[in-house]
């Protein structure tokens, strides 16, 4: 299994075409979120490739912990994209490749770009220890995926998301953030 942190942000797709255009797609429920971010402007300037990256846009609090309320409130000064998969690179469709190969390509790409706001979401060998550590920090949880899985959008049987207990308690009213004002 490939296990990584679930970052308490908004699922996003970062794209860059030949260093000219950068965009971020945020689900419709994220209407209170910023439509672009400083990290994406850096991405445009430094990444002279065509890429579509699956990521999670988060706002970090003063302790460096993802803060969903800051994100939906429009905080722009501490936005980070935690990048966990890559779907396309230089026009090549990477979705049929196993997750481990896509992650290696993504890590290499982000390492070359050296942009602090684009963070590679690393895999951890022990999901239980990771979940325990994230729970102590009040983080959202973990996602575990089959290493051999090709890219499939949406929920499927090849991955599972587990929320931290502390996060569930702290975010039981989270649905109100999306209520019409």
């Amino acid at each position: 299994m490939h296990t990584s942190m679930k970052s308490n942000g908004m699922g996003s797709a970062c794209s860059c075409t030949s260093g000219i255009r950068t965009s971020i797609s945020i689900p419709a429920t994220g209407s209170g979120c910023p439509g672009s971010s400083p990290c994406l402007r850096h991405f445009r300037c430094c990444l002279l490739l065509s890429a579509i990256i699956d990521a999670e846009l988060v706002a970090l609090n003063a302790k460096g912990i993802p803060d969903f309320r800051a994100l939906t409130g429009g905080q722009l000064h501490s936005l980070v994209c935690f990048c966990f998969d890559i779907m396309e690179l230089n026009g090549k469709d990477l979705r049929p490749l196993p997750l481990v190969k896509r992650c290696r390509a993504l890590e290499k790409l982000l390492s070359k770009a050296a942009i602090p706001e684009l963070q590679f979401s690393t895999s951890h060998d022990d999901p239980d220890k990771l979940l325990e550590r994230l729970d102590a920090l009040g983080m959202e949880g973990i996602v575990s995926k089959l290493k051999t899985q090709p890219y499939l959008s949406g929920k499927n049987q090849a991955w599972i998301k587990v929320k931290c207990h502390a996060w569930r308690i702290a975010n039981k009213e989270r649905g109100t953030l999306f209520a019409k004002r």
Side-chain angles (χ1 to χ4, degrees), residues 69 164-177:
R69 284 172 180 79
C164 292
H165 179 71
W167 182 89
R168 287 180 183 273
I169 292 169
N171 288 277
K172 62 184 172 191
E173 305 290 325
R174 182 171 163 167
T176 61
L177 294 173

Side-chain angles (χ1 to χ4, degrees), residues 10 26-36 57 59 68-76 79 177-179 181:
M10 292 240 170
I26 297 174
T29 56
S31 58
C33 290
S36 63
L57 179 67
F68 190 77
R69 284 172 180 79
L71 179 63
T72 58
Q75 175 179 315
L76 295 175
L79 292 179
L177 294 173
F178 300 104
R181 296 170 200 195

